[in-house]
Amino acid sequence: KGRAASDALFNSAFASYQMQDYDGAEDGFSLLSKRYGKAKIARDARWHLAWMSYLRGDFEAALARWQSLAKEKIGRRQARTDSTARDRLQYWSAMALLRLDREKEAVDIFRELLRDPSIDYYAILSWDRLKAIPGVQLTEAENRLGAKRAVAESELKETIEEETFEAETE
């Protein structure tokens, strides 16, 4: 009943996931989610259940699971370290909507992510995704914002590469 038990169950389910034994992983993550309810590790298990649904092409189930996760109440402390952050849930929900041919809903979510200045990674992904959808026109502000973020990401990548090279040289 302790943390070691929940960690062992998660690790077992995750190992099944990594070996692409999605049935075994689903059993483990489902048990973990039921047994440990609102614990962070159970929330992570529910994320993986949604992700596996997406990987299997069951976009309806993935969307429902991500939307359910988005509705869960979590504390501030957990929110700071949560791997199921709002932006991640929204982005992948939008991706599932795209796969379900619900483009307008997906585009609305991508645009919302792009407008949120506190979200960088999924905003950049959303900008790239919006540019790739035929017929979707970015507003001037979205183009500026996306370009600005892309430049910032590019500069960050260059800095990381330079520092990595210097560290390797040392």
Side-chain angles (χ1 to χ4, degrees):
K1 291 188 177 189
R3 181 176 170 102
S6 64
D7 287 349
L9 187 53
F10 184 88
N11 289 335
S12 173
F14 192 75
S16 293
Y17 161 76
Q18 287 182 311
M19 299 301 290
Q20 296 181 351
D21 171 15
Y22 295 147
D23 292 333
E26 187 157 352
D27 291 344
F29 286 134
S30 293
L31 178 61
L32 179 67
S33 179
K34 288 176 188 155
R35 190 171 287 172
Y36 296 96
K38 296 190 182 213
K40 182 184 180 317
I41 202 161
R43 187 170 165 83
D44 291 343
R46 288 189 290 280
W47 162 264
H48 281 85
L49 287 167
W51 180 243
M52 286 186 305
S53 294
Y54 185 88
L55 293 176
R56 288 176 162 175
D58 188 351
F59 305 117
E60 288 284 352
L63 180 61
R65 285 175 163 164
W66 281 321
Q67 288 175 338
S68 178
L69 270 170
K71 291 176 186 171
E72 288 180 14
K73 301 238 188 279
I74 58 173
R76 276 190 186 155
R77 186 171 160 223
Q78 183 177 347
R80 284 194 300 267
T81 60
D82 192 19
S83 64
T84 58
R86 182 181 66 87
D87 57 333
R88 185 180 191 199
L89 294 171
Q90 285 181 300
Y91 179 82
W92 286 106
S93 292
M95 290 298 295
L97 287 165
L98 272 182
R99 302 299 185 264
L100 293 167
D101 293 324
R102 293 166 57 184
E103 187 177 292
K104 183 186 179 334
E105 292 170 83
V107 167
D108 289 345
I109 292 171
F110 289 138
R111 284 200 153 116
E112 181 182 336
L113 285 167
L114 188 56
R115 283 190 299 266
D116 189 340
S118 66
I119 300 172
D120 291 325
Y121 178 74
Y122 287 101
I124 292 168
L125 288 180
S126 295
W127 181 65
D128 284 336
R129 184 61 58 184
L130 283 170
K131 289 189 324 180
I133 298 172
V136 172
Q137 296 293 318
L138 295 178
T139 66
E140 186 178 325
E142 289 170 339
N143 268 321
R144 273 196 320 269
L145 182 61
K148 185 187 249 184
R149 286 193 171 136
V151 166
E153 184 179 87
S154 173
E155 289 171 356
L156 178 61
K157 185 178 178 185
E158 287 174 19
T159 301
I160 290 170
E161 287 171 358
E162 288 171 12
E163 290 178 5
T164 301
F165 178 76
E166 288 173 14
E168 288 172 351
T169 303
E170 286 179 20

Coordinates of all heavy atoms in Angstrom, one line a residue, residues 42-92:
A42 N -0.8 8.1 -10.2 CA -2.1 7.6 -10.9 C -2.5 8.6 -12.0 O -2.9 8.1 -13.0 CB -3.2 7.5 -9.8
R43 N -2.2 9.8 -11.8 CA -2.5 10.8 -12.9 C -1.6 10.5 -14.1 O -2.0 10.6 -15.2 CB -2.3 12.2 -12.3 CG -2.8 13.3 -13.3 CD -2.8 14.7 -12.6 NE -2.8 15.8 -13.5 CZ -3.9 16.2 -14.1 NH1 -5.1 15.7 -13.8 NH2 -3.9 17.2 -14.9
D44 N -0.3 10.3 -13.8 CA 0.6 9.9 -14.8 C 0.2 8.6 -15.6 O 0.3 8.5 -16.8 CB 2.0 9.7 -14.3 CG 2.7 11.0 -13.8 OD1 2.2 12.1 -14.2 OD2 3.7 10.9 -13.0
A45 N -0.3 7.7 -14.8 CA -0.9 6.5 -15.4 C -2.0 6.8 -16.4 O -2.1 6.2 -17.5 CB -1.3 5.5 -14.3
R46 N -2.9 7.7 -15.9 CA -4.0 8.0 -16.8 C -3.5 8.8 -18.1 O -4.1 8.6 -19.2 CB -5.0 8.9 -16.0 CG -5.8 8.1 -15.0 CD -7.0 8.8 -14.4 NE -6.6 9.9 -13.5 CZ -6.2 9.7 -12.2 NH1 -6.1 8.5 -11.7 NH2 -5.9 10.7 -11.5
W47 N -2.5 9.5 -18.0 CA -1.9 10.1 -19.2 C -1.4 9.0 -20.1 O -1.7 9.1 -21.3 CB -0.7 11.0 -18.8 CG 0.2 11.3 -20.0 CD1 1.3 10.6 -20.4 CD2 -0.1 12.2 -21.1 NE1 1.8 11.0 -21.6 CE2 0.9 12.0 -22.1 CE3 -1.1 13.1 -21.3 CZ2 1.0 12.8 -23.2 CZ3 -1.0 13.9 -22.5 CH2 0.0 13.7 -23.4
H48 N -0.7 8.0 -19.6 CA -0.2 7.0 -20.5 C -1.4 6.2 -21.1 O -1.3 5.7 -22.2 CB 0.7 6.0 -19.7 CG 2.1 6.6 -19.6 ND1 2.4 7.5 -18.6 CD2 3.2 6.5 -20.3 CE1 3.7 7.9 -18.7 NE2 4.2 7.2 -19.8
L49 N -2.5 6.0 -20.4 CA -3.6 5.3 -20.9 C -4.2 6.1 -22.1 O -4.5 5.5 -23.2 CB -4.7 5.2 -19.9 CG -4.5 4.1 -18.8 CD1 -5.5 4.2 -17.6 CD2 -4.5 2.7 -19.4
A50 N -4.2 7.4 -22.0 CA -4.7 8.3 -23.1 C -3.7 8.2 -24.3 O -4.1 8.0 -25.4 CB -4.8 9.7 -22.6
W51 N -2.4 8.2 -24.0 CA -1.4 8.2 -25.0 C -1.4 6.9 -25.8 O -1.3 6.9 -27.0 CB 0.0 8.4 -24.4 CG 1.1 8.4 -25.4 CD1 2.1 7.6 -25.4 CD2 1.3 9.3 -26.5 NE1 3.0 7.9 -26.5 CE2 2.4 8.9 -27.2 CE3 0.6 10.4 -27.0 CZ2 2.9 9.6 -28.3 CZ3 1.0 11.1 -28.1 CH2 2.2 10.7 -28.7
M52 N -1.6 5.8 -25.0 CA -1.7 4.5 -25.7 C -2.9 4.4 -26.6 O -2.9 3.8 -27.7 CB -1.6 3.4 -24.7 CG -0.2 3.2 -24.1 SD -0.1 1.7 -23.1 CE -1.3 2.0 -21.8
S53 N -4.0 5.0 -26.2 CA -5.2 5.0 -27.0 C -4.9 5.8 -28.3 O -5.3 5.3 -29.4 CB -6.4 5.7 -26.3 OG -6.8 5.0 -25.2
Y54 N -4.2 6.9 -28.2 CA -3.8 7.7 -29.4 C -2.9 6.8 -30.3 O -3.1 6.8 -31.5 CB -3.1 9.0 -28.9 CG -2.7 9.9 -30.0 CD1 -3.7 10.8 -30.5 CD2 -1.5 9.8 -30.7 CE1 -3.4 11.7 -31.5 CE2 -1.2 10.7 -31.7 CZ -2.1 11.6 -32.1 OH -1.8 12.5 -33.2
L55 N -1.9 6.2 -29.7 CA -1.0 5.4 -30.5 C -1.7 4.2 -31.2 O -1.3 3.8 -32.3 CB 0.1 4.8 -29.6 CG 1.1 5.8 -29.0 CD1 2.1 5.1 -28.1 CD2 1.9 6.5 -30.1
R56 N -2.7 3.7 -30.6 CA -3.5 2.6 -31.2 C -4.5 3.1 -32.2 O -5.2 2.3 -32.9 CB -4.3 1.9 -30.1 CG -3.4 1.0 -29.2 CD -4.2 0.4 -28.1 NE -3.5 -0.7 -27.5 CZ -4.0 -1.4 -26.5 NH1 -5.1 -1.1 -25.9 NH2 -3.3 -2.4 -26.0
G57 N -4.6 4.4 -32.4 CA -5.6 5.0 -33.3 C -7.0 5.2 -32.8 O -7.9 5.5 -33.6
D58 N -7.2 5.0 -31.5 CA -8.5 5.2 -30.9 C -8.5 6.6 -30.4 O -8.4 6.9 -29.2 CB -8.7 4.2 -29.7 CG -10.1 4.2 -29.2 OD1 -10.9 5.1 -29.6 OD2 -10.4 3.3 -28.4
F59 N -8.7 7.5 -31.3 CA -8.6 9.0 -31.0 C -9.8 9.4 -30.1 O -9.6 10.4 -29.4 CB -8.5 9.8 -32.3 CG -7.4 9.3 -33.2 CD1 -7.6 8.8 -34.4 CD2 -6.1 9.4 -32.7 CE1 -6.5 8.3 -35.2 CE2 -5.0 8.9 -33.5 CZ -5.2 8.4 -34.7
E60 N -10.9 8.8 -30.3 CA -12.1 9.2 -29.4 C -11.7 8.9 -27.9 O -12.0 9.7 -27.1 CB -13.3 8.4 -29.8 CG -14.0 8.8 -31.1 CD -14.8 10.1 -31.0 OE1 -14.9 10.7 -29.8 OE2 -15.2 10.6 -32.0
A61 N -11.2 7.7 -27.7 CA -10.8 7.3 -26.3 C -9.7 8.2 -25.8 O -9.8 8.7 -24.6 CB -10.4 5.9 -26.2
A62 N -8.7 8.5 -26.6 CA -7.6 9.4 -26.2 C -8.1 10.7 -25.8 O -7.8 11.3 -24.8 CB -6.6 9.5 -27.3
L63 N -9.0 11.3 -26.7 CA -9.6 12.6 -26.4 C -10.4 12.6 -25.2 O -10.2 13.5 -24.3 CB -10.5 13.0 -27.6 CG -11.1 14.4 -27.5 CD1 -10.1 15.5 -27.4 CD2 -12.0 14.6 -28.8
A64 N -11.2 11.6 -25.0 CA -12.0 11.6 -23.7 C -11.1 11.5 -22.5 O -11.4 12.2 -21.5 CB -13.0 10.4 -23.8
R65 N -10.1 10.7 -22.6 CA -9.2 10.6 -21.4 C -8.4 11.9 -21.1 O -8.3 12.3 -20.0 CB -8.2 9.4 -21.7 CG -8.8 8.1 -21.5 CD -7.9 6.9 -21.8 NE -8.5 5.7 -21.3 CZ -8.1 4.5 -21.6 NH1 -7.1 4.3 -22.5 NH2 -8.6 3.4 -21.1
W66 N -7.9 12.5 -22.2 CA -7.2 13.8 -22.0 C -8.2 14.9 -21.5 O -7.8 15.7 -20.6 CB -6.6 14.3 -23.3 CG -5.3 13.5 -23.5 CD1 -4.3 13.2 -22.6 CD2 -4.8 13.1 -24.8 NE1 -3.3 12.5 -23.2 CE2 -3.5 12.4 -24.5 CE3 -5.2 13.1 -26.1 CZ2 -2.7 11.9 -25.5 CZ3 -4.5 12.6 -27.1 CH2 -3.2 12.0 -26.8
Q67 N -9.4 14.9 -22.0 CA -10.4 15.9 -21.5 C -10.7 15.6 -20.0 O -10.9 16.5 -19.2 CB -11.6 15.9 -22.3 CG -11.4 16.5 -23.7 CD -12.5 16.5 -24.6 OE1 -13.4 15.6 -24.5 NE2 -12.5 17.3 -25.6
S68 N -10.8 14.3 -19.6 CA -11.1 14.0 -18.2 C -9.9 14.4 -17.3 O -10.1 14.9 -16.3 CB -11.3 12.4 -18.1 OG -11.5 12.1 -16.8
L69 N -8.7 14.2 -17.8 CA -7.5 14.6 -17.0 C -7.5 16.2 -16.9 O -7.2 16.7 -15.8 CB -6.2 14.2 -17.7 CG -5.6 12.9 -17.4 CD1 -4.5 12.5 -18.3 CD2 -5.2 12.9 -16.0
A70 N -7.9 16.9 -17.9 CA -8.0 18.3 -17.8 C -9.0 18.8 -16.8 O -8.8 19.9 -16.2 CB -8.3 18.9 -19.2
K71 N -10.0 18.1 -16.6 CA -11.0 18.5 -15.6 C -10.7 18.1 -14.2 O -11.3 18.7 -13.2 CB -12.4 17.8 -16.0 CG -13.0 18.3 -17.2 CD -14.2 17.6 -17.6 CE -14.7 18.0 -18.9 NZ -15.8 17.2 -19.4
E72 N -9.7 17.3 -14.0 CA -9.3 16.9 -12.6 C -8.7 18.1 -11.9 O -7.9 18.9 -12.4 CB -8.3 15.8 -12.6 CG -8.8 14.4 -13.0 CD -7.7 13.4 -13.1 OE1 -6.6 13.6 -12.5 OE2 -8.0 12.3 -13.6
K73 N -9.0 18.2 -10.6 CA -8.5 19.3 -9.8 C -7.2 18.8 -9.2 O -7.1 17.7 -8.6 CB -9.4 19.6 -8.7 CG -10.8 20.1 -9.2 CD -11.1 21.5 -8.7 CE -12.5 21.9 -9.0 NZ -12.7 22.4 -10.3
I74 N -6.1 19.6 -9.3 CA -4.8 19.2 -8.7 C -4.3 20.5 -7.9 O -4.7 21.6 -8.3 CB -3.8 18.8 -9.7 CG1 -3.5 19.8 -10.8 CG2 -4.2 17.5 -10.4 CD1 -2.4 19.5 -11.7
G75 N -3.6 20.2 -6.9 CA -3.0 21.3 -6.1 C -2.0 22.1 -6.8 O -1.4 21.6 -7.8
R76 N -1.7 23.3 -6.3 CA -0.6 24.1 -6.9 C 0.7 23.4 -6.9 O 1.4 23.5 -7.9 CB -0.5 25.4 -6.1 CG -1.5 26.4 -6.5 CD -1.1 27.7 -5.8 NE -2.2 28.7 -6.1 CZ -2.4 29.7 -5.4 NH1 -1.7 29.9 -4.3 NH2 -3.4 30.5 -5.7
R77 N 1.0 22.8 -5.8 CA 2.3 22.1 -5.7 C 2.5 21.1 -6.8 O 3.5 21.0 -7.5 CB 2.5 21.6 -4.3 CG 3.9 21.0 -4.1 CD 4.0 20.6 -2.6 NE 5.1 19.7 -2.5 CZ 5.1 18.6 -1.7 NH1 4.0 18.4 -1.0 NH2 6.1 17.8 -1.7
Q78 N 1.5 20.3 -7.0 CA 1.5 19.2 -8.0 C 1.5 19.8 -9.4 O 2.2 19.3 -10.3 CB 0.3 18.3 -7.8 CG 0.4 17.1 -8.8 CD -0.8 16.1 -8.6 OE1 -1.5 16.2 -7.6 NE2 -1.0 15.3 -9.6
A79 N 0.8 20.9 -9.6 CA 0.7 21.5 -10.9 C 2.1 22.0 -11.4 O 2.4 21.9 -12.6 CB -0.3 22.7 -10.9
R80 N 3.0 22.4 -10.5 CA 4.3 22.8 -10.9 C 5.2 21.7 -11.5 O 6.0 22.0 -12.3 CB 5.0 23.5 -9.7 CG 4.5 24.9 -9.4 CD 5.5 25.6 -8.4 NE 5.6 24.9 -7.2 CZ 4.9 25.1 -6.1 NH1 4.0 26.1 -6.1 NH2 5.1 24.4 -5.0
T81 N 4.9 20.5 -11.0 CA 5.8 19.4 -11.5 C 5.0 18.3 -12.3 O 5.5 17.3 -12.5 CB 6.4 18.7 -10.3 OG1 5.4 18.2 -9.4 CG2 7.3 19.7 -9.5
D82 N 3.8 18.7 -12.6 CA 2.9 17.7 -13.3 C 3.3 17.5 -14.7 O 3.4 18.4 -15.5 CB 1.5 18.2 -13.2 CG 0.5 17.1 -13.5 OD1 0.8 16.0 -13.5 OD2 -0.7 17.5 -13.8
S83 N 3.5 16.2 -15.1 CA 3.8 15.9 -16.5 C 2.5 15.9 -17.4 O 2.6 15.8 -18.6 CB 4.4 14.5 -16.6 OG 3.5 13.5 -16.1
T84 N 1.4 16.2 -16.7 CA 0.1 16.2 -17.5 C -0.4 17.7 -17.4 O -1.5 18.0 -17.2 CB -0.9 15.3 -16.9 OG1 -1.1 15.6 -15.5 CG2 -0.5 13.9 -17.0
A85 N 0.5 18.6 -17.7 CA 0.2 20.0 -17.7 C -0.9 20.4 -18.7 O -1.0 19.7 -19.7 CB 1.5 20.9 -17.9
R86 N -1.6 21.4 -18.4 CA -2.7 21.9 -19.2 C -2.3 22.0 -20.7 O -3.0 21.6 -21.6 CB -3.2 23.2 -18.7 CG -4.4 23.7 -19.4 CD -4.9 25.1 -18.8 NE -4.0 26.1 -19.0 CZ -3.9 26.9 -20.1 NH1 -4.7 26.7 -21.1 NH2 -3.0 27.9 -20.2
D87 N -1.2 22.6 -21.0 CA -0.8 22.8 -22.4 C -0.5 21.5 -23.1 O -0.9 21.4 -24.3 CB 0.4 23.8 -22.5 CG 1.6 23.3 -21.7 OD1 1.5 22.5 -20.7 OD2 2.8 23.6 -22.1
R88 N 0.0 20.6 -22.4 CA 0.3 19.3 -23.0 C -1.0 18.6 -23.3 O -1.2 18.0 -24.4 CB 1.1 18.4 -22.1 CG 1.5 17.1 -22.6 CD 2.4 16.3 -21.6 NE 3.0 15.2 -22.2 CZ 3.5 14.2 -21.5 NH1 3.4 14.2 -20.2 NH2 4.0 13.1 -22.1
L89 N -2.0 18.6 -22.4 CA -3.3 18.0 -22.6 C -4.0 18.7 -23.7 O -4.7 18.0 -24.5 CB -4.1 18.1 -21.3 CG -3.6 17.3 -20.1 CD1 -4.4 17.6 -18.8 CD2 -3.6 15.8 -20.4
Q90 N -4.0 20.0 -23.8 CA -4.7 20.7 -24.8 C -4.1 20.4 -26.2 O -4.8 20.1 -27.2 CB -4.6 22.2 -24.6 CG -5.5 22.7 -23.5 CD -5.4 24.2 -23.4 OE1 -4.4 24.7 -23.1 NE2 -6.5 24.9 -23.6
Y91 N -2.8 20.4 -26.3 CA -2.1 20.1 -27.6 C -2.5 18.7 -28.1 O -2.9 18.6 -29.3 CB -0.6 20.2 -27.5 CG 0.1 19.9 -28.8 CD1 0.2 20.9 -29.8 CD2 0.6 18.7 -29.1 CE1 0.8 20.6 -31.0 CE2 1.2 18.4 -30.3 CZ 1.3 19.4 -31.3 OH 1.8 19.1 -32.5
W92 N -2.4 17.7 -27.3 CA -2.7 16.4 -27.7 C -4.2 16.1 -27.9 O -4.5 15.3 -28.8 CB -2.0 15.3 -26.8 CG -0.5 15.3 -27.1 CD1 0.5 15.8 -26.3 CD2 0.1 14.9 -28.3 NE1 1.7 15.7 -27.0 CE2 1.5 15.1 -28.2 CE3 -0.4 14.3 -29.5 CZ2 2.4 14.8 -29.2 CZ3 0.6 13.9 -30.5 CH2 1.9 14.2 -30.3

